[in-house]
Amino acid sequence: MIDIKKFLFPSLSWIQFEISGLCNAKCFYCPHTVYKEKWRGRNFTFNEFIKIVPYLKKVKLLYLQGWGEPFCNPEFFDILKSAKENNCSVGTTTNGMLLDNSHLEKIVKLKLDIIAFSLAGIEKNNKLREGTKIEKIFELINELNHLKEKNKTIYPRINIAYMLLKSNLDELEKLPWVFKDKGIDDIVISLLDFVPHPKLLDESIVPKTAEEFEFLKNTFLKIKEIGNKNNISIYLNLSDPHKKGLCSEKPINSLFINSLGYVSPCVFKGIPSEKAENLYFGNLNEKNLLKIWTEKDYKNFRKIHSKGSIPFYCENCNKWRISFL
């Protein structure tokens, strides 16, 4: 029997899928830590994941990551295997602390396309990301590159997902030197765009004036140039206070599914906590994904975005002003 859902469903750039809303770390700037008393995140089950499998052939990238640690989910590899069997590229971001050599062997065997390791500093990382150790990240990267060479494969691509805060700004210039010759494909630097509590406002160095923007831009471009000379691609998602453009989260042709099964336009509107101001268009445990995608409210939301306008849900979000450097 032909599954009509996969024919009617649009082609998407990606689905970001919070495979786990649980985490073994306590990063002080993360909603998982700040909202811990009202946190509802859980592990998404394989049986629930099956509900989106019919749509995967229309999705370029399935990214297994949200506000938790993906490898807290014991069914991670079952989900990865299923996605790859449906010809879907798959990526994930991890703190790496739950991984050992047996996990890395499965990652290579099942042909995970992208793995990014989260960091927030060099010497300061272990303090800013409580429960993590940068030393282990280096060990994992070394072993993963060894396995890739042994298996004669370029996958997974190994990235660094680097959170730039006021607390670690002084370590930014160390990035290209620390990761030189480490077998890293890309370093993607992000700022604290989502501030879960006012006490963290000082940690967010999102530019608020043209002068702040130019300072960060010029500082970064120097780092990027050093990276290029050392064969490391470094990118920065920097918001320009005077720019208005299309949302960098691409809500017109992508979506986020959190660990509770709720579908949101992006990860910032799908935080599994009662304290967050979320925007849900449906739950996979109540409706299929095609039905949710074609709901009137969701269609109207995307229509506003397609015109380059800002829905009131998104008025205070910096993702409208991202300049990719």
Side-chain angles (χ1 to χ4, degrees):
M1 180 178 177
I2 297 176
D3 191 339
I4 196 169
K5 294 195 289 293
K6 66 183 180 183
F7 293 103
L8 296 178
F9 196 68
S11 296
L12 298 182
S13 296
W14 68 75
I15 290 179
Q16 186 172 353
F17 172 40
E18 186 179 57
I19 188 172
S20 178
L22 307 177
C23 194
N24 57 315
K26 297 179 181 179
C27 306
F28 79 99
Y29 53 84
C30 180
H32 181 272
T33 301
V34 179
Y35 297 159
K36 62 182 179 181
E37 294 179 1
K38 297 289 185 178
W39 197 254
R40 297 179 58 210
R42 64 181 179 89
N43 283 331
F44 206 93
T45 70
F46 181 75
N47 286 336
E48 291 174 307
F49 172 76
I50 289 174
K51 297 174 183 177
I52 72 169
V53 168
Y55 308 98
L56 293 183
K57 293 186 184 298
K58 303 289 286 290
V59 178
K60 291 182 180 179
L61 174 66
L62 179 68
Y63 209 82
L64 304 178
Q65 181 250 349
W67 296 105
E69 164 54 42
F71 289 95
C72 280
N73 192 326
E75 296 185 294
F76 178 95
F77 289 108
D78 295 322
I79 291 172
L80 169 60
K81 183 173 183 291
S82 177
K84 294 298 295 184
E85 288 174 347
N86 283 274
N87 299 316
C88 187
S89 295
V90 184
T92 193
T93 299
T94 174
N95 62 41
M97 296 304 103
L98 299 177
L99 298 179
D100 58 26
N101 286 4
S102 65
H103 295 113
L104 298 183
E105 289 172 356
K106 288 181 181 179
I107 283 169
V108 173
K109 180 180 179 181
L110 294 176
K111 300 179 180 179
L112 180 68
D113 295 271
I114 304 166
I115 186 167
F117 293 100
S118 298
L119 291 175
I122 308 301
E123 284 87 358
K124 296 179 180 180
N125 177 81
N126 297 358
K127 180 179 179 180
L128 298 177
R129 292 174 53 82
E130 183 181 343
T132 73
K133 292 184 178 180
I134 192 172
E135 298 83 3
K136 180 167 182 179
I137 296 294
F138 290 146
E139 292 173 3
L140 293 169
I141 290 171
N142 183 60
E143 180 60 23
L144 196 49
N145 278 311
H146 170 72
L147 289 170
K148 287 167 61 176
E149 183 178 358
K150 178 181 177 181
N151 288 273
K152 296 180 173 57
T153 179
I154 62 172
Y155 296 106
R157 291 180 60 85
I158 304 174
N159 296 344
I160 297 296
Y162 193 88
M163 176 59 71
L164 185 62
L165 305 164
K166 185 176 182 180
S167 293
N168 63 23
L169 182 58
D170 60 322
E171 294 191 332
L172 179 61
E173 64 182 23
K174 299 178 182 179
L175 272 179
W177 303 110
V178 168
F179 289 102
K180 179 183 177 182
D181 301 325
K182 288 280 195 304
I184 299 297
D185 291 289
D186 301 311
I187 299 175
V188 180
I189 303 172
S190 298
L191 305 183
L192 191 62
D193 292 295
F194 180 79
V195 181
H197 193 281
K199 67 182 180 181
L200 294 171
L201 282 172
D202 286 344
E203 286 292 348
S204 176
I205 53 177
V206 173
K208 295 180 177 58
T209 66
E211 291 75 17
E212 290 177 352
F213 175 79
E214 288 301 319
F215 171 76
L216 272 178
K217 175 183 174 182
N218 293 331
T219 300
F220 168 73
L221 289 177
K222 294 177 183 177
I223 305 302
K224 185 179 181 71
E225 183 179 357
I226 296 171
N228 289 338
K229 291 179 179 178
N230 288 283
N231 298 314
I232 301 175
S233 297
I234 307 178
Y235 305 93
L236 173 64
N237 298 331
L238 181 63
S239 64
D240 183 339
H242 297 297
K243 176 183 177 181
K244 176 190 171 185
L246 295 177
C247 174
S248 63
E249 297 300 297
K250 298 184 178 180
I252 298 172
N253 57 1
S254 68
L255 58 86
F256 174 64
I257 303 171
N258 75 9
S259 59
L260 304 176
Y262 287 103
V263 176
S264 297
C266 70
V267 66
F268 300 100
K269 285 297 180 182
I271 301 172
S273 170
E274 297 172 11
K275 296 192 70 173
E277 296 181 1
N278 290 319
L279 178 60
Y280 294 146
F281 290 111
N283 191 296
L284 291 179
N285 294 309
E286 299 169 358
K287 301 177 184 178
N288 68 58
L289 191 55
L290 177 60
K291 175 67 175 173
I292 294 172
W293 181 263
T294 54
E295 289 281 7
K296 183 179 179 180
D297 288 347
Y298 203 174
K299 290 172 69 175
N300 287 339
F301 177 86
R302 296 195 303 274
K303 185 176 181 180
I304 294 173
H305 272 273
S306 68
K307 294 179 178 179
S309 299
I310 304 177
F312 71 89
Y313 307 101
C314 308
E315 288 177 346
N316 297 319
C317 183
N318 292 309
K319 295 301 180 179
W320 279 96
R321 297 181 285 273
I322 293 296
S323 292
F324 295 101
L325 303 179

